[in-house]
Amino acid sequence: MRDTRESRLLLVLLVAIAFALITVDIRGGEDSPLDGARHAAASVFGPVEDGVASAVDPVGNAVAAVRESGDRHDRVRRLEEENTKLKQRLGNNARDRARSAELDKLLKTAGAGQYGIKGAQVIGIGAAQGFSWTVTIDMGSGDGIRRDMTVINGDGLVGRVTTVGSTTATVLLAIDPDFTVGTRMEGSGELGFATGRGDRSLHVQLLNGKARIKKGDRMVTFGSQADKPFVPGVPVGKVVGVDPTGGDLTRTLRVRPYVRFSKLDIVGVVVQPPRANPRDSVLPPKPAKPKPTPTVTVTANPSASATSPAANRS
């Protein structure tokens, strides 16, 4: 429409009519003559508004869902991180408890034998020297460790120190084929020599071929001159087999070592030998024998039936 005088007058007229209709509608309230027209307009435009609202609401819901999804993702991630940290703490606590128990057992063994020890941790398996069965510990010459010192743990004899560096040392394990230690049987005191055989049981040659030995008998280290490389009284193992003598002067035993070499962690290097031979005092106490169950025998008394009321009536 062109901007002419007639168009301007028409616009003013339409605005005036609109104000007049609004005034009439407000003053009329529910009896307004425009109420019917308003309902008609609502019936026409209402579905359109509902359609627009239904089209817009999913978009709004989707935006809200995306925002909440991000929040949920962050919460899940935080929970997963907290769960991981909790598992790590529990794992560390379990490991710390196990190592604490192992250290406590080592100290009790050292106390029973009156061995002066320095605790060390196994940090490696094998060594550059070519030994088959060795471990590396985290203590060396700077810690007072010397060659040919006895190494123990809470269960018994681990081995002896063979090579010493400034901060580490190599320990030849008692199961190495090149390892030999003098032994003494518990109680009888029979002497012998134990030799390692890798992952198999130790071989012990008793000097007395006629010695009476049975399965379950135990032995400790005999000790070396000047207590090097072995101090006396360290538990070695338990007899699991006795070979027939065959007329030989010596007798061969198969002995299971007390130490579980595949699980070595905390060990003690004996830096001060005992003042006196502890003999068998370091061995763990033997399990108590089960007490026999008392039996009760009930026997019938023939005289009781003779003095019964029925017998008296007869």
Side-chain angles (χ1 to χ4, degrees), residues 175-261:
I175 55 176
D176 189 274
D178 292 334
F179 188 96
T180 301
V181 59
T183 61
R184 186 179 57 78
M185 297 300 302
E186 176 187 16
S188 67
E190 295 287 351
L191 302 181
F193 294 94
T195 304
R197 296 198 305 160
D199 56 356
R200 295 178 293 175
S201 57
L202 303 176
H203 259 185
V204 176
Q205 291 290 125
L206 285 184
L207 300 182
N208 181 6
K210 297 181 179 180
R212 294 184 177 181
I213 305 295
K214 63 182 182 300
K215 290 183 180 180
D217 287 350
R218 307 184 296 179
M219 63 185 61
V220 298
T221 56
F222 177 71
S224 306
Q225 185 176 5
D227 299 308
K228 288 189 176 182
F230 302 110
V231 293
V234 180
V236 174
K238 182 185 298 186
V239 176
V240 294
V242 182
D243 294 343
T245 59
D248 296 334
L249 297 178
T250 61
R251 194 165 197 181
T252 304
L253 310 178
R254 285 174 282 117
V255 175
R256 179 186 297 120
Y258 285 117
V259 173
R260 292 181 293 178
F261 293 93

Side-chain angles (χ1 to χ4, degrees), residues 56-66:
V56 173
D57 285 345
V59 177
N61 293 336
V63 172
V66 171

